[in-house]
Amino acid sequence: VQLQASGGGLVQTDASLTLSCTASGRPFSFYNMAWFRQYPGKEREFVAGVGWKNGQTAYADSVKGRFTISRFNDDSNSNSTVYLQMNNLKPDDAAIYYCAAAVQVGGIYRNHDVYDYWGQGTLVTVSS
């Protein structure tokens, strides 16, 4: 099982960045997938999630209108790639971003404890 995240980097305030995460080794096309971020000394916080079945999305209030989550399911192998398009980045968006996946029923969960699989994290730095 592998969730490979990429796309982090150093950008200026109001710039854009796209993160991607490819999940393989399980039928991830049937998993909800999400992005979390973590500040130093803090717990991981939910950023955005996307459902497996109908593309339902959910966003933290702090990123709503600026970030867009999407996914591509590879039907040939059940791998799934989730993207996080981040626009109008602010210094408060600087964090380590993690992708995550879980089988969920009834919606997209925002609690990091219920996610089973995690990527390695990718660092986003925003200069003011």
Side-chain angles (χ1 to χ4, degrees), residues 23-37:
S24 61
R26 300 283 291 179
F28 284 108
S29 57
F30 299 103
Y31 284 59
N32 283 358
M33 298 191 71
W35 287 95
F36 287 77
R37 64 188 179 188

Side-chain angles (χ1 to χ4, degrees), residues 20-103:
S20 64
C21 173
T22 298
S24 61
R26 300 283 291 179
F28 284 108
S29 57
F30 299 103
Y31 284 59
N32 283 358
M33 298 191 71
W35 287 95
F36 287 77
R37 64 188 179 188
Q38 189 168 23
Y39 301 104
K42 303 290 187 181
E43 283 197 351
R44 292 180 189 183
E45 66 175 38
F46 177 82
V47 175
V50 58
W52 69 272
K53 188 174 182 180
N54 56 11
Q56 176 189 9
T57 58
Y59 295 92
D61 288 342
S62 59
V63 306
K64 202 172 294 183
R66 300 187 297 123
F67 290 12
T68 303
I69 189 170
S70 60
R71 69 185 296 165
F72 169 74
N73 293 330
D74 188 338
D75 292 336
S76 68
N77 54 21
S78 295
N79 290 351
S80 190
T81 299
V82 60
Y83 303 94
L84 186 67
Q85 172 69 43
M86 305 184 292
N87 296 327
N88 195 22
L89 281 161
K90 306 299 182 187
D92 284 349
D93 296 317
I96 299 175
Y97 284 71
Y98 296 89
C99 57
V103 175

